Amino acid sequence: MIIMLGAMNTLTATAKNNSGTRINLWQKKPPHKNGNEKDTAWVRVFLPEKGRANGKAVVICPGGGYSHLAINHEGLDWAPFFNNLGIAAIVLHYRMPNGDHRVPIEDAEAAIRLVRANAKAWNIDTGKVGIMGSSAGGHLASTIATHSTGDAKPDFQILFYPVITMDPGFTHRGSHDNFLGKDPKKKDEKLFSNDMQVTRTTPRAWIALSDDDATVPAANGFNYYFECYRHDVPASLHVYPTGGHGWGIRPSFFFHNEMMQELRAWLLSF
């Protein structure tokens, strides 16, 4: 399978099996480095059966506090759910920022561009490419949704218990420090407080979180939903009474079945 990344270099898929097709995002050196040459950016592409594909695709950003990735229950394990709905799932292994926020952002934007560049071959509609993220991955997804433009801007967003703000009073401190550094400028904290960056052109959103989340304050998701509402952005907020943080697609989450049904209905509503 030959993969084209926009007008950039031709990439070749390195493996295809039940684990999806792995594609390295940067054939040459990425625009910015994070100081760890072993930390590379790649995606695994899971495509639905051709006859079932409905044109939608979602780039999935696992969480991990911008220090590591919960690649399974917040990433790879989601592929069958989306494929069964006819949606392509592209799981992103983005590089850790190590204080340079440009690193994961450029990886996520490259992943979206990769999907759109291969839209015809993968039976994807270029106007139906979304992004999903959990926890710190939710911050990355909402950053792309509120900051990116052109062929890197997603058409919808799915956020699980997301880190939204970089305000020290409400953020997840580890994500804040890893993304911006331990002593960032106030203007950068404001710039990447994504509730403050919502506009009328922000893509529609589905947000899920637990009221008893002691890791990422629920105010992150609440405030993002409110700003979407205030700017006439279609949004759906799902607050579960218990569950804490980091449940992803694990069936052990008490409200797992309800969450899956609600997400399924939303995805099929547009």
Side-chain angles (χ1 to χ4, degrees), residues 22-62:
R22 174 168 166 159
I23 304 168
N24 292 325
L25 278 179
W26 305 106
Q27 188 175 33
K28 296 182 178 180
K29 292 182 179 180
H32 298 93
K33 298 180 179 180
N34 68 355
N36 182 359
E37 295 297 330
K38 294 182 179 180
D39 186 15
T40 59
W42 47 265
V43 295
R44 283 198 183 275
V45 179
F46 299 84
L47 302 178
E49 296 177 3
K50 187 174 182 179
R52 178 174 286 184
N54 61 21
K56 292 189 179 81
V58 59
V59 172
I60 303 172
C61 306

Side-chain angles (χ1 to χ4, degrees), residues 110-141:
I112 291 179
R113 290 190 177 107
L114 174 71
V115 174
R116 289 200 168 109
N118 288 277
K120 184 175 182 180
W122 294 352
N123 298 303
I124 291 169
D125 184 334
T126 57
K128 295 181 179 180
V129 179
I131 193 163
M132 168 176 144
S134 302
S135 194
H139 181 261
L140 179 58

Side-chain angles (χ1 to χ4, degrees), residues 13 25 29 70 75 78 94-95 113 117 126 146 173 202 225 261:
L25 278 179
K29 292 182 179 180
W78 276 99
Y94 56 92
R95 293 169 297 143
R113 290 190 177 107
T126 57
T146 54
R173 193 71 207 193
T202 297
Y225 169 78
Q261 290 170 1

Side-chain angles (χ1 to χ4, degrees), residues 220-231:
N220 281 257
F222 296 159
N223 291 344
Y224 195 70
Y225 169 78
F226 176 74
E227 290 302 323
C228 286
Y229 177 82
R230 197 167 71 86
H231 288 86

Side-chain angles (χ1 to χ4, degrees), residues 151-163:
D151 59 358
K153 185 179 181 67
D155 300 295
F156 60 91
Q157 53 183 317
I158 302 168
L159 308 176
F160 288 94
Y161 38 86
V163 178

Side-chain angles (χ1 to χ4, degrees), residues 175-254:
S175 299
H176 170 282
D177 292 354
N178 291 326
F179 187 69
L180 292 177
K182 294 184 178 181
D183 189 25
K185 296 179 180 178
K186 291 294 183 183
K187 67 175 184 179
D188 287 335
E189 288 181 329
K190 181 178 180 180
L191 179 63
F192 291 105
S193 290
N194 295 326
D195 52 329
M196 301 178 71
Q197 307 306 324
V198 173
T199 69
R200 291 180 182 273
T201 64
T202 297
R204 67 176 66 227
W206 190 92
I207 308 162
L209 47 86
S210 297
D211 186 60
D212 65 347
D213 191 334
T215 302
V216 176
N220 281 257
F222 296 159
N223 291 344
Y224 195 70
Y225 169 78
F226 176 74
E227 290 302 323
C228 286
Y229 177 82
R230 197 167 71 86
H231 288 86
D232 296 323
V233 174
S236 181
L237 177 64
H238 303 263
V239 183
Y240 302 104
T242 60
H245 187 79
W247 24 270
I249 198 172
R250 288 172 174 157
S252 57
F253 173 48
F254 188 80

